[in-house]
Amino acid sequence: MSSLRKPLVIGLAGGIGAGKSAAAAALADLGCLVSDSDQAAKAELDVPEVRDALVRWWGPRVLGVGGRIDRAQVAAIIFSDPEARRRLEALVHPRLRAARSALIDRAAALDAPGVVIDAPLLFEAGLDTECDAVLFIDAPRELRAARVRATRGWDEGELERRERAQFPLEQKRARSSAVIENAGDERALRAAVRAFLVELQTRTERR
């Protein structure tokens, strides 16, 4: 039997632009390994078998410069067609699940305190069931809108459209283990994240 200690698995949830990536970075600085599901899913679109499947489903319109998948075109398709979104998830999610499992094994070998699942659709995809705890990052709507306008070029309408495709924030907050308010003070966010991790480790060790 392996003597490796299983690392904690921590899910991150919150509204778009709330600061989940900043919280993930803070946890990484505390020794956790991070699974960035958004970036991993984007990378999967360039895997030949995934790319070929998308072209079969939706035609050459999903191809961009150099024959790579046009992510904006795919986003437009899946955010306007729930069935298309489910089809893509059925293709990509098992591949991402295998990558998360490998990351947990790596974290155990490194004796890392935890693995962080930073996934925009944590609850929607059922990834919360893989987690020992879920941390909800909260931020005022106005601040979130300003952040995505500055970093992603989205207007209020685009933010609203994206959030309508997800579970309501109130539902995500209620299903989370802890909530951190992120009003933009990075030092305060990092202190709160550290306190959360210490408390979670202490609670786990008492079991």
Side-chain angles (χ1 to χ4, degrees):
M1 181 180 294
S2 173
S3 61
L4 295 178
R5 178 184 59 83
K6 182 182 181 297
L8 293 166
V9 179
I10 301 166
L12 287 179
I16 298 171
K20 295 186 295 296
S21 294
L27 286 164
D29 287 344
L30 294 170
C32 296
L33 302 188
V34 178
S35 169
D36 186 332
S37 295
D38 197 28
Q39 290 302 317
K42 289 176 181 177
E44 285 293 333
L45 298 184
D46 289 323
V47 174
E49 63 186 272
V50 174
R51 182 192 63 222
D52 293 347
L54 301 193
V55 174
R56 284 198 308 273
W57 296 345
W58 302 321
R61 61 177 170 152
V62 298
L63 293 177
V65 178
R68 298 181 66 183
I69 290 294
D70 183 336
R71 293 167 184 162
Q73 183 65 243
V74 170
I77 292 170
I78 65 174
F79 278 106
S80 61
D81 183 349
E83 181 54 38
R85 176 175 157 188
R86 284 190 289 270
R87 196 178 192 186
L88 179 61
E89 290 172 348
L91 175 64
V92 173
H93 283 184
R95 301 173 61 91
L96 299 178
R97 190 178 304 115
R100 286 194 301 274
S101 179
L103 187 65
I104 291 171
D105 289 343
R106 181 180 164 213
L110 294 172
D111 198 28
V115 168
V116 179
I117 301 179
D118 182 5
L121 302 177
L122 185 85
F123 289 111
E124 292 85 347
L127 301 185
D128 58 305
T129 61
E130 300 179 17
C131 300
D132 296 298
V134 175
L135 176 60
F136 186 91
I137 307 300
D138 207 357
R141 170 80 179 196
E142 297 76 15
L143 181 56
R144 295 194 297 108
R147 284 173 179 161
V148 297
R149 185 166 53 248
T151 60
R152 311 184 198 186
W154 295 357
D155 59 16
E156 184 74 21
E158 180 65 11
L159 175 59
E160 178 70 23
R161 183 173 74 92
R162 299 264 181 162
E163 291 204 323
R164 277 202 308 269
Q166 301 182 11
F167 288 170
L169 290 181
E170 295 74 16
Q171 182 178 342
K172 293 184 178 185
R173 188 184 292 108
R175 291 175 60 179
S176 296
S177 312
V179 177
I180 289 178
E181 302 290 338
N182 178 29
D185 184 332
E186 183 177 355
R187 181 176 296 181
L189 174 64
R190 285 181 167 269
V193 166
R194 178 185 290 275
F196 162 78
L197 180 59
V198 169
E199 195 277 334
L200 179 61
Q201 289 173 314
T202 301
R203 188 168 73 242
T204 303
E205 289 167 0
R206 287 175 181 163
R207 291 176 183 169

